[in-house]
Amino acid sequence: MEYLRGFKKYRFFHYSATDPLKASMDLTAGIESFNKSMGVSFFKRKHSFINFFFIFGISNLILYVVSVLISGYESRHDITKLIYCVATFGFCCQATMKIYSFIITRRRIVDLYEINLRYYQDMRSQSNAVKRVLCDNASLIYIVIKVTVLIYLLLVIIAMAIPGLSSIFLDARILPFGFVMPFMRADTFAGYLANYGIQVVMAIYYWIITVGSDITTIYNLLTAYGQLDVLMTSIEELNEQLERDESSEKIRDKIVEIIRQHQHHRSYLQQLVDFLNPYHFVTLGSTVPTMVISVLGLVLLDWYPGAAIVFLGSVQILYICFLGTSLEIKVLTTDALTLKVGAIHWNKLSSRDMKYMNLVLAMTQNPKMLVVATLPLNITAFLKIHKLIYSLIMMLENTKD
């Protein structure tokens, strides 16, 4: 994550604040303004989904599912078109899970938001060092959100533009997705343009719902990331108090505050992990088979659009694993929090305070991580998935020869 902070020097990515609560409210307000484009709210208890943007988006999703099923049935004797339908159906599964997770069970997202709001309100009474850490973390969240929006937008533009440009230079007319609208043939120029336009609209809605859900996840995960920085800062302040031989009451209050912060972090992260587990399970469970099917079409049938689908799926998996790795590095690789606790002046603690800090030390050695079932979500998982796909490619190549 640290190298991303370098983007702060560019005006487009620059954000600074002095109040953690204001910074949090600015970030959530930005996410909410983006989510208005699909007619939803992730941070308000009371929200009416009876609005044009939401109904239009859900109608597009229903039309997408119907079109894929009908096109798949009509193309059952053409293996190339059938593979295209089956492969792009994976994106429908993702969109459905996003709607379920972030709209139907929206209450859990609102719960997390309100927990964060209370946390930032409490942090306003902390030291300037703690508030500075939280403001720096808000700046990092702002950068990652903007980078995510731009990357996903670029991917959608490429996915939509390449089929159209290819159709100019090739005899066959290629559509971005592997289906045609019911009762709307794509073998005529007018029908092709109509199908292309509708699929572009669907792709834009998919981009909006993907970005909206993912930047909300970024906000929540990097808030947990910042909570660890606050813990380490508080432990440093405790050590400074011990060096100054401050009163036992102040030392005790600081230790109690550290324990309270750590309990909050573990409870918050557990609640977030419980919410994200089924979401990531379906995302990986639909993306990996989509990539495998695309590889089959690419290797066995020279189906070149499959390469674009594999690339899109790979980027989505990389994004999920990148967030998990960032949190894992923060907690495990350097053992920063454990080292901070172990480096305090234990000899200046009372027996009772030592017991409290031993409890903190024990909890730091059993951190919460992002997982799917029993698989930790990190770069190692990303490499394992691609190693499996590469092995499949090699096996198919040998079989083909």
Side-chain angles (χ1 to χ4, degrees):
M1 284 290 183
E2 293 304 317
Y3 68 89
L4 288 175
R5 295 184 189 272
F7 284 95
K8 190 176 180 179
K9 62 185 178 181
Y10 301 106
R11 185 176 179 181
F12 181 75
F13 295 103
H14 181 74
Y15 176 79
S16 61
T18 56
D19 183 357
L21 179 60
K22 183 180 183 304
S24 173
M25 294 179 71
D26 287 344
L27 290 170
T28 53
I31 295 172
E32 280 290 81
S33 63
F34 184 89
N35 291 336
K36 284 181 181 178
S37 58
M38 58 176 167
V40 303
S41 170
F42 294 159
F43 303 129
K44 294 179 181 178
R45 286 277 176 196
K46 296 181 179 180
H47 175 75
S48 175
F49 290 100
I50 304 176
N51 60 76
F52 171 78
F53 292 107
F54 181 73
I55 294 173
F56 178 77
I58 295 299
S59 300
N60 270 281
L61 179 61
I62 295 172
L63 182 60
Y64 176 78
V65 173
V66 172
S67 300
V68 170
L69 293 177
I70 293 176
S71 295
Y73 177 77
E74 292 178 347
S75 305
R76 62 190 182 278
H77 301 302
D78 188 331
I79 189 63
T80 302
K81 291 182 179 180
L82 181 60
I83 286 179
Y84 207 175
C85 287
V86 174
T88 53
F89 189 73
F91 297 111
C92 172
C93 297
Q94 291 184 33
T96 302
M97 188 60 191
K98 291 177 191 295
I99 290 173
Y100 173 79
S101 299
F102 288 89
I103 296 175
I104 297 177
T105 61
R106 190 177 65 93
R107 175 185 56 80
R108 303 178 70 181
I109 293 292
V110 177
D111 289 342
L112 289 169
Y113 166 70
E114 291 178 349
I115 290 172
N116 281 332
L117 196 61
R118 290 193 295 270
Y119 174 77
Y120 284 112
Q121 287 172 340
D122 293 341
M123 290 298 105
R124 299 182 84 177
S125 61
Q126 295 293 320
S127 65
N128 290 331
V130 168
K131 288 189 282 189
R132 184 169 58 252
V133 165
L134 287 173
C135 289
D136 288 343
N137 189 65
S139 176
L140 177 62
I141 295 173
Y142 182 82
I143 291 171
V144 176
I145 285 176
K146 285 229 167 179
V147 169
T148 302
V149 173
L150 291 177
I151 289 176
Y152 280 16
L153 178 60
L154 181 62
L155 289 174
V156 169
I157 291 174
I158 292 174
M160 293 297 102
I162 288 180
L165 293 174
S166 301
S167 299
I168 296 175
F169 301 101
L170 299 175
D171 294 334
R173 297 191 180 101
I174 303 174
L175 289 169
F177 298 115
F179 65 89
V180 295
M181 305 304 297
F183 313 112
M184 190 181 293
R185 300 176 61 86
D187 50 2
T188 64
F189 184 69
Y192 172 76
L193 288 180
N195 276 279
Y196 204 109
I198 293 172
Q199 291 188 12
V200 167
V201 172
M202 291 180 176
I204 292 173
Y205 180 76
Y206 179 78
W207 171 73
I208 291 172
I209 194 172
T210 300
V211 171
S213 58
D214 285 355
I215 62 178
T216 303
T217 302
I218 288 171
Y219 168 76
N220 287 318
L221 270 177
L222 293 189
T223 294
Y225 188 96
Q227 290 169 1
L228 290 172
D229 284 331
V230 168
L231 270 170
M232 288 188 282
T233 303
S234 297
I235 293 169
E236 288 176 355
E237 291 177 343
L238 171 64
N239 209 26
E240 291 171 0
Q241 288 179 333
L242 291 171
E243 288 177 351
R244 295 193 299 266
D245 292 321
E246 292 193 3
S247 65
S248 58
E249 289 79 8
K250 290 185 177 180
I251 298 296
R252 180 72 52 76
D253 290 342
K254 195 66 179 179
I255 291 175
V256 170
E257 175 64 23
I258 290 171
I259 293 173
R260 187 186 66 81
Q261 288 181 13
H262 198 269
Q263 288 175 335
H264 169 85
H265 167 73
R266 289 179 64 85
S267 174
Y268 171 79
L269 194 55
Q270 184 62 58
Q271 190 170 343
L272 180 59
V273 167
D274 290 343
F275 167 74
L276 289 176
N277 268 346
Y279 170 67
H280 284 155
F281 181 81
V282 172
T283 300
L284 290 180
S286 60
T287 303
V288 174
T290 294
M291 294 171 67
V292 171
I293 292 171
S294 300
V295 167
L296 286 171
L298 179 64
V299 176
L300 298 179
L301 304 172
D302 294 328
W303 178 58
Y304 297 108
I309 294 179
V310 171
F311 177 71
L312 289 173
S314 179
V315 170
Q316 287 186 318
I317 295 175
L318 176 62
Y319 163 78
I320 295 172
C321 294
F322 169 74
L323 289 176
T325 298
S326 298
L327 187 63
E328 187 177 67
I329 289 174
K330 191 71 174 180
V331 178
L332 294 178
T333 304
T334 60
D335 288 326
L337 187 57
T338 303
L339 292 174
K340 286 285 184 184
V341 177
I344 64 173
H345 296 287
W346 288 83
N347 59 310
K348 294 187 177 184
L349 293 172
S350 66
S351 297
R352 186 177 179 183
D353 291 342
M354 281 185 183
K355 291 179 181 178
Y356 287 142
M357 292 310 295
N358 268 322
L359 176 62
V360 175
L361 186 61
M363 289 192 298
T364 60
Q365 295 172 353
N366 185 28
K368 303 292 183 182
M369 292 287 117
L370 286 181
V371 294
V372 170
T374 58
L375 177 67
L377 277 178
N378 50 31
I379 294 300
T380 302
F382 176 80
L383 294 175
K384 285 181 179 179
I385 291 171
H386 285 74
K387 183 179 179 180
L388 172 66
I389 295 174
Y390 177 77
S391 300
L392 176 63
I393 293 175
M394 293 297 99
M395 182 184 69
L396 290 174
E397 283 289 351
N398 293 334
T399 303
K400 191 177 179 180
D401 294 338

